[in-house]
Amino acid sequence: MVKAIDAFKEKKQTLGLVPTMGALHKGHLALVKKALKNNDKVVVSIFVNPTQFDNKEDLVKYPRTLEQDVALLRSVSEDAILVYAPTVEDVYAGNTVSETFDFDGLEFEMEGKFRIGHFDGVGTIVKRLFDIIKPDKAYFGEKDFQQLAIIKKLVEKHHIPVTIVPCPIYREPSGLAMSSRNTRLKPAYKEAAPFIYKTLETAKTLFGTKSANKVSQWVEKQFESHSLLKLEYFIIADASTLKTVKRKSNKKAYRAFIAVYADDIRLIDNIALN
Ligand code: PAF
C-alpha cells in the first residue's frame, strides 16, 4: 500500500480515503462515489478496529464480508479504488491498545459516556490510517456526527494535512439510518427501527416551539411504551460543542442525538434541528 501511495504521489495524483469497518452498504458507496468525483484515486480501508469496541460481543458479532465488499467496490470503479484491508497484527503489531487523546471535551459527551474508550480507539486507527495513506481528503458520514467532530479535532490538534469531508446520512426508504449493524436486526426489530427516525423528525418539529427539556421528556415517553426499542439516550446539543442545551439561543445550531437498543443491537441516529 505504501508503495502504491508513493507512486500516486509521484504522479501528483490526488488521493481520497474512505475509512470503513466493511459490511459495505449504500451509505458507504455514496461516500466512495463522492470521493471518486473529487480525487484521482480512492483508498477504501476495511478494518474492524478492535480498540474502538467497548463491547466484546459487538466486536465478535460485527459483520465481516470482505469478498462481497470488494465486489461492490468493483461495481463502482474497476481501476480507481484501492482496498486496504490490514490484519490486526499489521495495524497494532502485537500491541492492540489505543493512544490516549484530548479532544477538548468532545469525547466526554454522548457516545463517550456510554462507550468508554471508544473515541481513543477511533482516534488511534484514523490517525494511523492518515499516516499510512496520506490522503488529500477523507470522507466521513454524519450518522456518526460526534465521531466526525472528533476527527476534525484530531486533524486540527495534530496538524494533519488532510481535508475532512462530511457526508449526509444515507437512509433506507423507511427512514432508518443505514448501518452495517442493520443486517443483524431480526425482522420484528427491523420493522420497529424506523420509529427512531420518525421520533427524531417529530422532535425537530416540537423543538420549534418547545424547550429542549420538554422535547427530551416527550421522546423519553415515546420509548417508555415501546415494546421492542429501548432508549439509551436522547440529547439535544449544540452542534459545535456537543454540549447538552440548557437554554436555546437562535444564534446557535442545534442537533438531536439518539441511541437505542433494538434487542442487543445498538443503533444511533441524529438530526439537525435548525
Ligand atoms: O465509522 C467507522 O466505521 C469507524 O469508526 C472508522 C472511522 C472506520 C474507524 O474505525
Side-chain angles (χ1 to χ4, degrees), residues 18-22 28 45 47-49 52 62 118 121-123 125-126 129 139-141 144 147 151 180:
V18 181
T20 81
M21 298 205 298
H28 293 116
S45 63
F47 179 63
V48 182
N49 174 38
Q52 72 186 75
Y62 201 86
H118 171 68
V122 170
I125 185 61
V126 172
L129 289 170
Y139 298 77
F140 294 88
D144 298 294
Q147 167 173 281
I151 287 163
S180 303

Side-chain angles (χ1 to χ4, degrees), residues 24-26 28-34 36 42 44 69-81:
L24 302 183
H25 50 66
K26 284 186 188 150
H28 293 116
L29 296 187
L31 302 190
V32 173
K33 285 176 189 163
K34 189 162 178 171
L36 281 167
V42 171
V44 177
D69 294 344
V70 171
L72 264 178
L73 291 170
R74 198 168 269 140
S75 74
V76 176
S77 167
E78 285 278 350
D79 57 2
I81 300 174

Side-chain angles (χ1 to χ4, degrees), residues 206-226:
L206 291 176
F207 190 69
T209 54
K210 296 196 177 346
S211 71
N213 240 338
K214 281 264 166 345
V215 178
S216 301
Q217 281 166 9
W218 178 84
V219 170
E220 280 159 20
K221 202 140 185 257
Q222 304 313 299
F223 281 93
E224 264 166 32
S225 51
H226 203 290

